[in-house]
Amino acid sequence: MEEKGHRKSAIVVGAGVGGVATAARLAKAGFDVSVYEKNDFTGGRCSLIHHEGYRFDQGPSLLLLPDLFREAFTDLDTSLEAEGVELLKCEPNYNLWFADGESFELSSDTARMKRSIEKWEGKHGFERYLAFLQESHRHYEISVREVLRKNFFSLFSLLRPSFLRHVLALHPFESVYSRASKYFYTERLRRAFTFGSMYMGMSPFDAPGTYSLLQYTELAEGIWYPRGGFHRVIQALQAVGERMGVKYHLSTSVARVNITHGRATGITLANGTSYEADVVIVNADLVYAYNNLLPHSSTATSLSKRDSSCSSISFYWALNRQIPELTTHNIFLADAYRESFDDIFKKQLIPSEPSFYVNVPSRIDPSAAPPGCDSIVVLVPVGHLLDPNIDESSSSSTNTGLDISNPQDWARMVSTARRTIIDTVTQRTGCIDLSKAIIHEEINTPTTWKDKFNLDKGAILGLSHSFFNVLSFRPKTKHARYANLFFVGASTHPGTGVPICLAGAKITAEQILGEKGVAVPWRAGNGVRMRQESLGMVSGLAGKGGEVREIDRVQTGPLLSNVHWGFVMLVLGGLMVLYFIGFTEWERVGEEVWTAL
């Protein structure tokens, strides 16, 4: 038992999105919180690179599921706007560029989508698109309610009636590509509505159909970008936490989590200094943490063998001119679509013809580059690094993987990727040769991702999100053996991505507060209410001064329309006629008819 009046303390290892958000939540609950981060910046991969007036988002550049961001700030008694975060809507969402010279525009504007889809699949194609949205909407709403807001403590959590009755509606046993193929009949549109699985670090041919929710949030809620870069959101959360007393220790590496008598009691830094706390929350890469910060265990070995997400070669280019042919978000899809994903996820290679993403932050936010110039980020998904101690080549006897023992091999692959990107962008868009406009370049490869952020195998999105790597099968938010040791981040429940990690921070924080007997300081059901408000399900918002008016109350429609009632009455009338005439008379008539035939 804690002594009465004793202020509980917490140490957070890692200042990634989940760590920063968890720290702020625990501080609001009255904890004395300290965060230790190896780098000299917060945000982890969600950070910025600067060069002489150019700004690049090192990792995420698309803000999706905006309600989860708003909820994080609302729970902390503030808002994005109050913290100076301005969200800019990207329109269109993307331009997709194909090898045959055609392009396709994805947008949250229904009229624009109607034109784009009907160009390739006609009027019926747009009807099927609306049906696709309906299905992906269900995936989205069920997932937010039953997965992102709830913890999965064991396999028994899968048997919750509220979740179990929706399992088949989530299509977890079908792939994103197979579900999209039921609604889109051309290969062009199937590709346009499935490439998004790359955000989960998975191939659309393997990712569970549930993840069409990503397409839904983009098409229904839009893609947003924080003015000043994505890190502005993390910076704002950090500032909120600091106002509540959170202390950040940057450029401070943690060597291990201290375990005494089966309990986490604190940490020891790389310089040998130790600090104690009532609770330790690890936001470092989960596989790295189990193998480097904790005593060796069979769990660490098991995690190392689990499927990981992909890695990337990322280029950050400062251009001395603008490239008007490129919008904020651009996708260049490989002609050999499936084969390119197989190279990445099954053979751990860089495809000979890769699909890649080109972000131009200066298109939506001019402050990202000097006047008349552009900053460009190119992300090329590639296989993760191979662990020399683990056989990952079972999918192909000829799999050579990525040679992590030869740094020159990376130089060759980076050179090949750069040349392929420049040639592809020039050929498909008709823009100038980018190589003549690049005045500065920075690069992240799987090895730099691994070294800079301690990412196991350089996997930029943590563990894979295959069926047996999610829900009750995903590593838990609390250590199974050591008390007072918790986890938050991409590789624990609920999963990867900035908004998902924000949801995970809430789950982990509430679990800690529950175990420590501390009241949850944010309003219960806050997230659910926010979703209801956004859907117009909560009355009293439309009226001035919060006045609830009868016209604004949510009401269900009639069970049956007049047409349906007419049909019911017709059937009942027929039955009454049969009753009064008598069934035997009808049988006699029937026999006469058959005799005549």
Side-chain angles (χ1 to χ4, degrees), residues 94-302:
Y94 305 94
N95 263 352
L96 274 62
W97 302 88
F98 294 89
D100 61 3
E102 296 285 355
S103 63
F104 184 85
E105 186 178 83
L106 285 169
S107 171
S108 57
D109 184 325
T110 304
R112 296 175 77 166
M113 285 303 297
K114 188 173 187 294
R115 288 193 299 270
S116 293
I117 290 172
E118 288 183 352
K119 175 182 177 181
W120 300 106
E121 296 200 4
K123 300 291 184 183
H124 293 300
F126 184 67
E127 290 180 9
R128 293 193 300 271
Y129 164 72
L130 296 177
F132 170 79
L133 278 185
Q134 184 180 44
E135 177 178 294
S136 55
H137 166 77
R138 285 195 298 270
H139 291 169
Y140 174 79
E141 294 296 340
I142 294 171
S143 296
V144 170
R145 184 178 68 249
E146 301 298 332
V147 179
L148 300 188
R149 301 198 188 285
K150 296 180 181 179
N151 211 335
F152 284 72
F153 301 103
S154 69
L155 288 175
F156 291 106
S157 298
L158 290 172
L159 302 179
R160 282 195 296 252
S162 61
F163 173 77
L164 196 59
R165 64 192 178 94
H166 292 300
V167 167
L168 295 181
L170 290 172
H171 302 104
F173 307 112
E174 299 178 73
S175 71
V176 165
Y177 187 87
S178 68
R179 291 308 305 172
S181 297
K182 296 182 184 298
Y183 298 101
F184 303 106
Y185 294 171
T186 63
E187 181 63 20
R188 190 182 304 276
L189 293 199
R190 288 174 179 176
R191 296 180 181 188
F193 288 95
T194 59
F195 73 86
S197 64
M198 289 192 293
Y199 300 148
M200 308 297 291
M202 295 189 71
S203 163
F205 299 96
D206 298 319
T210 312
Y211 295 130
S212 67
L213 64 88
L214 293 170
Q215 280 70 42
Y216 172 79
T217 184
E218 292 176 348
L219 295 165
E221 299 177 326
I223 292 176
W224 302 80
Y225 183 77
R227 187 184 296 278
F230 211 125
H231 187 257
R232 280 289 297 118
V233 176
I234 315 307
Q235 188 178 23
L237 277 174
Q238 178 184 344
V240 172
E242 287 177 326
R243 290 202 301 268
M244 296 177 179
V246 178
K247 296 176 285 292
Y248 281 86
H249 305 271
L250 304 182
S251 301
T252 306
S253 294
V254 174
R256 68 176 180 272
V257 174
N258 298 331
I259 305 296
T260 305
H261 303 305
R263 305 172 68 87
T265 57
I267 60 170
T268 297
L269 303 183
N271 63 12
T273 307
S274 295
Y275 295 95
E276 294 185 349
D278 297 311
V279 176
V280 176
I281 303 96
V282 176
N283 183 223
D285 179 83
L286 191 76
V287 181
Y288 171 86
Y290 267 89
N291 282 278
N292 295 274
L293 303 182
L294 298 174
H296 180 71
S297 65
S298 58
T299 302
T301 303
S302 174

Side-chain angles (χ1 to χ4, degrees), residues 461-481:
L461 298 167
L463 293 177
S464 168
H465 283 73
S466 57
F467 180 78
F468 288 106
N469 259 333
V470 295
L471 305 175
S472 294
F473 304 106
R474 201 162 187 81
K476 305 299 182 285
T477 52
K478 181 185 177 183
H479 198 283
R481 183 185 304 174

Side-chain angles (χ1 to χ4, degrees), residues 7-12 19-20 22-36 241 244-249 277 279 281:
R7 186 183 182 192
K8 296 177 177 60
S9 59
I11 287 176
V12 180
V20 172
T22 304
R25 286 181 177 278
L26 292 179
K28 179 175 173 58
F31 279 66
D32 179 11
V33 186
S34 295
V35 182
Y36 294 85
M244 296 177 179
V246 178
K247 296 176 285 292
Y248 281 86
H249 305 271
V279 176
I281 303 96

